[in-house]
Amino acid sequence: DNNLKLFAAVIQNAKRRVNVTSPYFVPDESIMMAMVTAASRGLAVELFVSEVSDQFAVFHAQRSYYEQLLRAGVRIYLLAAPTVLHAKHLSIDEDVAIIGSSNFDIRSLSLHMEVMVLVHAREFVDAMRQIEDDYRANSRLLTLEEWLRRPRREQVFDNLMRLTSSLM
């Protein structure tokens, strides 16, 4: 659980900005609480995910978290289809970046032997921000109003997939 502890700690200790990029975002309670709390404290919190996915069940489970994040003020960017985002990194404030193989899902955080590297260097974070700027330019910002208008059957399906997410 080292990556889980690391992610939660850096998000909780952020002072200004948190950017999370993950193809499979099915967070545990500590990550979810850290992101929601950071946004509620007034930090700029952004999540970069794909508009489409190559993992059907995980994709729908991931979507079940969007409403809570949006209500807290997290800005969710959906990288335009047909591109499937596979980058996995965080950037915190102006001087911390974490990059590697871990997704934000229970399997990556608790079962798989994933490797992440923490870099404490403004120049590296600046380079990561350029990549995030590119994601932003090729994404659409999801709004709470748009999200709440999605069909009821999608809401039910997303929540059903969330219930099975620990099995994926």
Side-chain angles (χ1 to χ4, degrees):
D1 293 339
N2 288 338
N3 288 338
L4 174 60
K5 292 173 187 172
L6 174 64
F7 296 164
V10 297
I11 294 169
Q12 289 168 349
N13 288 297
K15 303 287 188 256
R16 288 168 294 288
R17 186 172 182 180
V18 173
N19 288 16
V20 175
T21 303
S22 181
Y24 311 122
F25 183 82
V26 184
D28 88 321
E29 188 62 30
S30 66
I31 298 291
M32 193 66 179
M33 185 59 66
M35 290 182 69
V36 165
T37 302
S40 297
R41 288 190 292 135
L43 276 64
V45 181
E46 296 180 324
L47 173 64
F48 296 97
V49 292
S50 295
E51 187 174 46
V52 296
S53 180
D54 58 353
Q55 297 292 323
F56 180 81
V58 175
F59 175 68
H60 285 283
Q62 158 179 304
R63 291 163 39 104
S64 71
Y65 293 90
Y66 291 175
E67 183 176 343
Q68 185 179 0
L69 292 167
L70 289 165
R71 285 189 185 280
V74 174
R75 295 171 65 91
I76 301 174
Y77 289 92
L78 304 174
L79 190 66
T83 302
V84 176
L85 180 66
H86 267 283
K88 301 153 181 100
H89 54 85
L90 293 88
S91 58
I92 308 296
D93 297 331
E94 294 79 35
D95 56 355
V96 174
I98 303 171
I99 188 167
S101 65
S102 185
N103 294 299
F104 276 74
D105 66 356
I106 193 67
R107 296 188 72 80
S108 285
L109 294 171
S110 297
L111 300 174
H112 295 164
M113 300 298 290
E114 305 286 1
V115 176
M116 300 300 285
V117 174
L118 184 143
V119 179
H120 190 274
R122 183 169 190 122
E123 299 79 18
F124 191 87
V125 174
D126 287 346
M128 294 300 298
R129 296 279 189 231
Q130 290 178 352
I131 293 168
E132 292 163 357
D133 289 345
D134 185 54
Y135 295 156
R136 202 176 292 103
N138 291 295
S139 298
R140 70 180 176 84
L141 180 63
L142 182 63
T143 66
L144 179 60
E145 295 75 25
E146 172 191 352
W147 190 245
L148 294 175
R149 285 193 312 265
R150 76 190 198 286
R152 185 82 163 135
R153 68 182 178 283
E154 287 183 25
Q155 296 174 34
V156 170
F157 194 70
D158 292 345
N159 290 327
L160 284 173
M161 291 298 102
R162 182 175 181 166
L163 289 174
T164 65
S165 65
S166 63
L167 305 173
M168 297 181 223

XYZ file of all heavy atoms in Angstrom, residues 89-142:
435
model
N 0.313 9.859 -13.593
C 1.178 10.781 -12.862
C 0.361 11.781 -12.064
O -0.822 11.978 -12.305
C 2.164 11.494 -13.786
C 1.556 12.194 -14.950
N 1.061 13.469 -14.888
C 1.378 11.791 -16.233
C 0.615 13.832 -16.078
N 0.784 12.835 -16.907
N 1.034 12.391 -11.100
C 0.479 13.471 -10.292
C 1.465 14.615 -10.331
O 2.672 14.384 -10.404
C 0.343 13.074 -8.823
C -0.632 12.014 -8.404
C -0.004 10.665 -8.475
C -1.063 12.306 -6.987
N 0.967 15.815 -10.246
C 1.833 16.965 -10.006
C 1.185 17.759 -8.882
O -0.023 17.968 -8.862
C 2.036 17.801 -11.271
O 0.814 18.257 -11.789
N 2.020 18.124 -7.931
C 1.560 18.788 -6.726
C 2.283 20.123 -6.598
O 3.521 20.171 -6.645
C 1.855 17.931 -5.467
C 1.330 16.506 -5.630
C 1.317 18.609 -4.217
C -0.164 16.366 -5.756
N 1.500 21.186 -6.439
C 2.050 22.530 -6.324
C 3.030 22.788 -7.473
O 2.748 22.411 -8.606
C 2.664 22.747 -4.940
C 1.620 22.636 -3.824
O 0.442 22.933 -4.100
O 1.971 22.242 -2.707
N 4.162 23.410 -7.192
C 5.107 23.749 -8.257
C 6.350 22.886 -8.253
O 7.204 23.036 -9.126
C 5.548 25.219 -8.125
C 4.455 26.225 -8.350
C 3.544 26.396 -7.147
O 4.033 26.307 -6.002
O 2.332 26.601 -7.351
N 6.451 21.960 -7.298
C 7.758 21.312 -7.176
C 7.746 19.804 -6.904
O 8.796 19.217 -6.691
C 8.579 22.001 -6.085
C 7.872 22.030 -4.742
O 6.699 21.603 -4.671
O 8.488 22.485 -3.771
N 6.587 19.152 -6.935
C 6.536 17.707 -6.702
C 5.774 17.034 -7.839
O 4.673 17.457 -8.195
C 5.867 17.376 -5.352
C 5.680 15.866 -5.193
C 6.676 17.936 -4.192
N 6.371 15.990 -8.376
C 5.712 15.167 -9.389
C 5.945 13.705 -9.040
O 6.989 13.338 -8.496
C 6.268 15.465 -10.780
N 4.947 12.888 -9.350
C 5.044 11.445 -9.159
C 4.618 10.818 -10.475
O 3.556 11.139 -11.009
C 4.141 10.965 -8.008
C 4.493 11.695 -6.715
C 4.261 9.459 -7.841
C 3.521 11.438 -5.583
N 5.440 9.919 -10.978
C 5.166 9.300 -12.276
C 5.586 7.838 -12.222
O 6.545 7.488 -11.551
C 5.889 10.063 -13.412
C 5.467 9.549 -14.779
C 7.385 10.074 -13.216
C 5.894 10.444 -15.922
N 4.830 6.987 -12.908
C 5.179 5.576 -12.913
C 4.081 4.702 -13.484
O 3.372 5.107 -14.393
N 3.935 3.506 -12.910
C 3.045 2.506 -13.485
C 1.727 2.328 -12.735
O 0.863 1.588 -13.191
C 3.763 1.149 -13.536
O 4.050 0.683 -12.226
N 1.537 2.984 -11.613
C 0.355 2.742 -10.785
C -0.856 3.547 -11.239
O -0.801 4.760 -11.379
C 0.653 3.080 -9.323
O -0.449 2.749 -8.512
N -1.951 2.841 -11.423
C -3.243 3.479 -11.636
C -3.825 3.867 -10.290
O -3.295 3.518 -9.243
C -4.199 2.506 -12.336
C -3.752 2.179 -13.732
O -3.651 3.049 -14.564
N -3.478 0.909 -13.994
N -4.946 4.536 -10.314
C -5.666 4.884 -9.089
C -6.830 3.920 -8.919
O -7.985 4.315 -8.888
C -6.182 6.321 -9.168
C -5.164 7.339 -8.785
C -4.122 7.643 -9.637
C -5.233 7.986 -7.574
C -3.182 8.576 -9.288
C -4.293 8.929 -7.209
C -3.258 9.222 -8.071
N -6.528 2.652 -8.819
C -7.555 1.655 -8.557
C -7.023 0.660 -7.526
O -5.823 0.615 -7.256
C -8.005 0.949 -9.841
C -6.929 0.090 -10.484
O -5.783 0.065 -9.994
O -7.226 -0.575 -11.480
N -7.907 -0.098 -6.939
C -7.558 -0.970 -5.835
C -6.514 -2.018 -6.226
O -5.639 -2.363 -5.434
C -8.822 -1.617 -5.208
C -8.504 -2.270 -3.874
C -9.460 -2.610 -6.166
C -8.115 -1.290 -2.794
N -6.593 -2.518 -7.447
C -5.632 -3.549 -7.867
C -4.223 -2.975 -7.947
O -3.275 -3.567 -7.468
C -6.072 -4.177 -9.184
C -7.389 -4.912 -9.071
C -7.720 -5.687 -10.317
N -6.876 -6.850 -10.477
C -7.046 -8.016 -9.835
N -8.017 -8.132 -8.966
N -6.248 -9.029 -10.072
N -4.096 -1.814 -8.548
C -2.774 -1.189 -8.649
C -2.250 -0.775 -7.282
O -1.059 -0.908 -7.000
C -2.816 0.043 -9.550
O -2.891 -0.319 -10.895
N -3.141 -0.249 -6.450
C -2.699 0.311 -5.178
C -2.466 -0.734 -4.093
O -1.697 -0.495 -3.172
C -3.711 1.357 -4.693
C -3.809 2.597 -5.574
C -4.972 3.466 -5.152
C -2.511 3.385 -5.552
N -3.109 -1.895 -4.201
C -2.982 -2.883 -3.125
C -2.483 -4.245 -3.562
O -1.938 -4.980 -2.746
C -4.334 -3.060 -2.432
O -4.737 -1.864 -1.828
N -2.668 -4.609 -4.804
C -2.329 -5.966 -5.230
C -1.113 -6.054 -6.137
O -0.294 -6.949 -5.989
C -3.540 -6.607 -5.934
C -4.806 -6.717 -5.089
C -5.962 -7.222 -5.938
C -4.586 -7.623 -3.894
N -1.019 -5.154 -7.081
C 0.081 -5.216 -8.050
C 1.344 -4.590 -7.473
O 1.290 -3.739 -6.604
C -0.291 -4.493 -9.337
C -1.426 -5.140 -10.059
N -2.114 -4.496 -11.039
C -2.002 -6.367 -9.959
C -3.058 -5.280 -11.518
N -3.009 -6.419 -10.858
N 2.460 -4.986 -7.991
C 3.745 -4.421 -7.577
C 4.095 -3.279 -8.532
O 4.903 -3.431 -9.442
C 4.836 -5.506 -7.584
C 4.541 -6.666 -6.655
S 4.433 -6.168 -4.933
C 6.116 -5.768 -4.588
N 3.466 -2.146 -8.336
C 3.651 -0.991 -9.206
C 4.827 -0.147 -8.715
O 5.157 -0.152 -7.534
C 2.389 -0.130 -9.211
C 1.124 -0.862 -9.588
C 0.991 -1.196 -11.063
O 1.903 -0.869 -11.848
O -0.042 -1.766 -11.433
N 5.432 0.576 -9.641
C 6.581 1.414 -9.314
C 6.249 2.863 -9.654
O 5.781 3.166 -10.748
C 7.834 0.975 -10.101
C 8.991 1.909 -9.842
C 8.205 -0.456 -9.762
N 6.489 3.747 -8.693
C 6.305 5.177 -8.887
C 7.580 5.878 -8.460
O 8.274 5.420 -7.554
C 5.131 5.704 -8.062
C 3.788 5.078 -8.387
S 3.232 5.312 -10.090
C 2.726 7.017 -10.084
N 7.884 6.985 -9.109
C 9.059 7.783 -8.768
C 8.578 9.172 -8.374
O 7.796 9.797 -9.099
C 10.029 7.888 -9.974
C 11.171 8.832 -9.664
C 10.534 6.514 -10.363
N 9.024 9.642 -7.223
C 8.718 10.992 -6.772
C 9.897 11.878 -7.137
O 11.034 11.560 -6.815
C 8.481 11.032 -5.262
C 8.055 12.392 -4.721
C 7.037 12.210 -3.601
C 9.235 13.202 -4.226
N 9.605 12.967 -7.827
C 10.637 13.918 -8.231
C 10.318 15.251 -7.566
O 9.202 15.765 -7.694
C 10.682 14.082 -9.767
C 11.746 15.092 -10.163
C 10.910 12.742 -10.445
N 11.293 15.782 -6.871
C 11.125 17.075 -6.203
C 12.005 18.087 -6.939
O 13.162 18.294 -6.592
C 11.538 16.956 -4.728
C 11.187 18.150 -3.916
N 11.997 19.252 -3.815
C 10.094 18.416 -3.170
C 11.429 20.135 -3.035
N 10.271 19.657 -2.624
N 11.452 18.674 -7.992
C 12.217 19.616 -8.815
C 11.247 20.455 -9.644
O 10.426 19.905 -10.381
C 13.173 18.875 -9.735
N 11.356 21.734 -9.517
C 10.462 22.641 -10.239
C 10.553 22.435 -11.754
O 9.533 22.452 -12.447
C 10.761 24.085 -9.876
C 9.788 25.011 -10.583
C 9.830 26.422 -10.098
N 8.706 27.109 -10.689
C 7.773 27.716 -10.019
N 7.810 27.740 -8.714
N 6.791 28.325 -10.636
N 11.746 22.232 -12.287
C 11.907 22.065 -13.732
C 11.146 20.842 -14.235
O 10.533 20.873 -15.302
C 13.397 21.943 -14.109
C 14.242 23.139 -13.745
C 14.643 23.182 -12.271
O 14.578 22.134 -11.576
O 14.978 24.274 -11.793
N 11.173 19.778 -13.459
C 10.454 18.556 -13.846
C 8.945 18.805 -13.812
O 8.224 18.418 -14.728
C 10.832 17.400 -12.916
C 10.348 16.065 -13.398
C 11.107 15.317 -14.271
C 9.123 15.562 -12.983
C 10.663 14.087 -14.724
C 8.665 14.338 -13.434
C 9.434 13.597 -14.306
N 8.480 19.472 -12.765
C 7.050 19.775 -12.662
C 6.627 20.709 -13.796
O 5.554 20.537 -14.370
C 6.698 20.356 -11.281
C 5.245 20.812 -11.230
C 6.969 19.322 -10.192
N 7.465 21.662 -14.144
C 7.154 22.545 -15.280
C 6.964 21.732 -16.558
O 6.061 22.006 -17.346
C 8.252 23.589 -15.471
C 8.249 24.667 -14.401
O 7.252 24.790 -13.646
O 9.271 25.392 -14.298
N 7.804 20.739 -16.766
C 7.677 19.871 -17.950
C 6.384 19.056 -17.878
O 5.693 18.879 -18.897
C 8.891 18.951 -18.065
N 6.033 18.583 -16.691
C 4.776 17.845 -16.517
C 3.587 18.756 -16.798
O 2.605 18.337 -17.411
C 4.673 17.284 -15.097
C 5.685 16.224 -14.742
S 5.596 14.755 -15.782
C 3.964 14.195 -15.416
N 3.682 19.997 -16.376
C 2.587 20.950 -16.612
C 2.364 21.181 -18.108
O 1.244 21.376 -18.558
C 2.870 22.293 -15.938
C 2.931 22.226 -14.438
C 1.565 22.234 -13.796
N 1.726 22.384 -12.365
C 1.156 21.596 -11.484
N 0.373 20.637 -11.873
N 1.345 21.777 -10.197
N 3.440 21.164 -18.888
C 3.292 21.302 -20.338
C 2.523 20.117 -20.912
O 1.679 20.284 -21.793
C 4.658 21.439 -21.001
C 5.323 22.758 -20.710
C 6.710 22.875 -21.326
O 7.259 21.923 -21.859
N 7.275 24.068 -21.233
N 2.793 18.941 -20.402
C 2.052 17.746 -20.837
C 0.583 17.882 -20.428
O -0.324 17.609 -21.223
C 2.696 16.469 -20.256
C 4.068 16.262 -20.879
C 1.797 15.248 -20.461
C 4.934 15.219 -20.195
N 0.341 18.332 -19.201
C -1.031 18.526 -18.741
C -1.740 19.608 -19.555
O -2.937 19.486 -19.852
C -1.033 18.874 -17.253
C -0.585 17.730 -16.383
C -0.176 18.113 -14.972
O -0.179 19.321 -14.638
O 0.142 17.198 -14.198
N -1.023 20.637 -19.955
C -1.606 21.666 -20.824
C -2.046 21.068 -22.150
O -3.101 21.424 -22.689
C -0.609 22.805 -21.071
C -0.371 23.668 -19.849
O -1.156 23.592 -18.877
O 0.638 24.416 -19.853
N -1.252 20.132 -22.668
C -1.607 19.448 -23.909
C -2.860 18.590 -23.701
O -3.755 18.579 -24.551
C -0.437 18.585 -24.395
C -0.711 17.957 -25.740
O -1.040 18.692 -26.699
O -0.618 16.710 -25.839
N -2.922 17.863 -22.594
C -4.140 17.090 -22.287
C -5.350 18.023 -22.249
O -6.402 17.726 -22.812
C -4.058 16.398 -20.927
C -3.017 15.327 -20.776
C -2.527 15.011 -19.516
C -2.518 14.612 -21.856
C -1.579 14.024 -19.329
C -1.565 13.628 -21.693
C -1.103 13.332 -20.418
O -0.162 12.368 -20.240
N -5.221 19.130 -21.550
C -6.312 20.083 -21.391
C -6.777 20.595 -22.763
O -7.973 20.719 -23.021
C -5.870 21.239 -20.493
C -6.992 21.990 -19.846
C -6.484 23.072 -18.881
N -5.832 22.513 -17.699
C -4.506 22.461 -17.511
N -3.686 22.966 -18.405
N -4.001 21.931 -16.412
N -5.817 20.886 -23.637
C -6.142 21.405 -24.967
C -6.860 20.370 -25.834
O -7.585 20.737 -26.761
C -4.868 21.872 -25.670
N -6.660 19.098 -25.520
C -7.267 18.019 -26.303
C -8.392 17.318 -25.545
O -8.729 16.174 -25.840
C -6.187 17.008 -26.712
C -5.235 17.602 -27.716
O -5.622 17.912 -28.828
N -3.995 17.806 -27.303
N -8.932 18.011 -24.568
C -9.991 17.451 -23.730
C -11.170 18.397 -23.693
O -11.080 19.543 -24.109
C -9.483 17.276 -22.292
O -8.410 16.390 -22.221
N -12.233 17.889 -23.131
C -13.354 18.773 -22.818
C -13.569 18.730 -21.317
O -13.409 17.695 -20.668
C -14.610 18.401 -23.588
C -15.268 17.124 -23.189
C -16.528 16.874 -24.042
N -17.115 15.602 -23.713
C -17.950 15.401 -22.697
N -18.308 16.395 -21.932
N -18.439 14.199 -22.469
N -13.914 19.860 -20.770
C -14.172 19.988 -19.345
C -15.579 19.480 -19.062
O -16.546 19.944 -19.647
C -14.036 21.450 -18.911
C -14.276 21.760 -17.449
C -13.237 21.055 -16.568
C -14.223 23.262 -17.226
N -15.679 18.520 -18.171
C -16.966 17.986 -17.772
C -17.577 18.906 -16.718
O -16.900 19.288 -15.760
C -16.779 16.576 -17.183
C -18.038 15.839 -16.743
C -18.958 15.574 -17.927
C -17.644 14.533 -16.052
